[in-house]
Amino acid sequence: MSLAATAPHGFLSPTGVEIAFLLVGLVTFGAALITVTTRQLVHAALWLVVTLGGLAVEYLLLTAEFIAWVQVLIYVGSVVVLLLFGLMLTRAPIGRSPDADSGNRLPALVVAVGSAGALVWVVTDAFRATWIDLDGPAAGTTRVTGESLFRHWVLPFEALSVLLLAALVGAIVLSRKTKTKAEQAAGAPSPARTSGDREGVR
C-alpha cells in the first residue's frame, strides 16, 4: 500500500469534489438567505427552488444519489409547485407585499441561529470520527439504501407508514366534520328571518 493511500486527509489539501461541495454550499446558503428575506412571495418560492436544488447537488456530491432524487422529486417537484398553486389560488400579490413582513425578524433570527447552532453541534458530535470517501464507490445508491432500509429499519419504516395513514384518515374526518357544521349553519334560518316570517303570518 502506498503512502498516498495511507496518508490522512486534511483540510489543507482539499479534493475537487470537496471544493465543489463548498461552493455549492455557499450558493445554497445565499439562496436560502434571499428566500427568507425577500418581500416578494413569488421570488421567495423561486429562490426556494434554488435552495432545494443546491441541497440535491450536495447529496449527489456525498454519493447519496437516492436521497438527491427524492429531494428533487418531492421537494422541488411537489412542495414548491404546491406553494406556487397556493399563491395563485389565494391571489397573493406578485410584487412587493407589506404583509410578507410580520415585524418579528429579530426573534426569528435568534431562533434560526440557535437552531442552526444546535443542528451543527449535533451533527458534528455524531460524525466527528467519520470520514466519507467522496472519490470511492457510491455509498448512497438506491440499492444500498433499499438494503439498509428493509433489512435494518423495517419496523420503524412500517410504523411511520401507519402513522402517516392515521394522520391522513384523521385529516379526512376533521374536514368532513367541519364541512358538515358549515352546511348546517348555512341551512339553518337566521333568528331575524324567523321572527320576520312569524310577523308576516300574523
Side-chain angles (χ1 to χ4, degrees):
M1 187 178 293
S2 62
L3 294 177
T6 59
H9 295 277
F11 293 101
L12 298 180
S13 58
T15 62
V17 178
E18 293 172 348
I19 295 175
F21 184 87
L22 179 61
L23 294 178
V24 174
L26 292 176
V27 173
T28 305
F29 181 73
L33 285 179
I34 298 176
T35 301
V36 298
T37 54
T38 183
R39 295 187 179 182
Q40 299 187 7
L41 297 179
V42 177
H43 289 182
L46 296 178
W47 279 108
L48 183 61
V49 173
V50 179
T51 304
L52 297 177
L55 288 177
V57 175
E58 298 283 52
Y59 288 137
L60 282 177
L61 294 176
L62 290 174
T63 69
E65 62 180 32
F66 177 74
I67 305 299
W69 293 121
V70 168
Q71 175 83 12
V72 172
L73 293 175
I74 295 180
Y75 287 96
V76 178
S78 299
V79 175
V80 176
V81 173
L82 180 62
L83 290 175
L84 292 176
F85 269 105
L87 292 176
M88 289 188 294
L89 292 176
T90 56
R91 297 181 180 180
I94 301 299
R96 286 182 171 270
S97 175
D99 297 333
D101 190 2
S102 62
N104 298 322
R105 292 196 173 190
L106 184 59
L109 179 62
V110 172
V111 172
V113 171
S115 302
L119 182 62
V120 169
W121 180 80
V122 169
V123 173
T124 304
D125 184 69
F127 299 98
R128 183 174 299 174
T130 304
W131 183 267
I132 300 176
D133 187 10
L134 300 178
D135 295 327
T141 59
T142 306
R143 179 177 179 180
V144 174
T145 305
E147 290 179 353
S148 176
L149 180 63
F150 293 104
R151 181 177 298 174
H152 305 290
W153 302 95
V154 176
L155 185 59
F157 182 79
E158 294 299 331
L160 181 61
S161 302
V162 174
L163 179 62
L164 293 176
L165 179 61
L168 180 61
V169 173
I172 294 174
V173 172
L174 291 176
S175 64
R176 288 179 64 86
K177 286 184 177 180
T178 305
K179 185 178 180 181
T180 303
K181 291 181 180 179
E183 290 176 351
Q184 291 177 354
S190 61
R193 183 177 180 182
T194 304
S195 60
D197 292 341
R198 290 178 180 176
E199 292 177 358
V201 171
R202 291 178 184 177

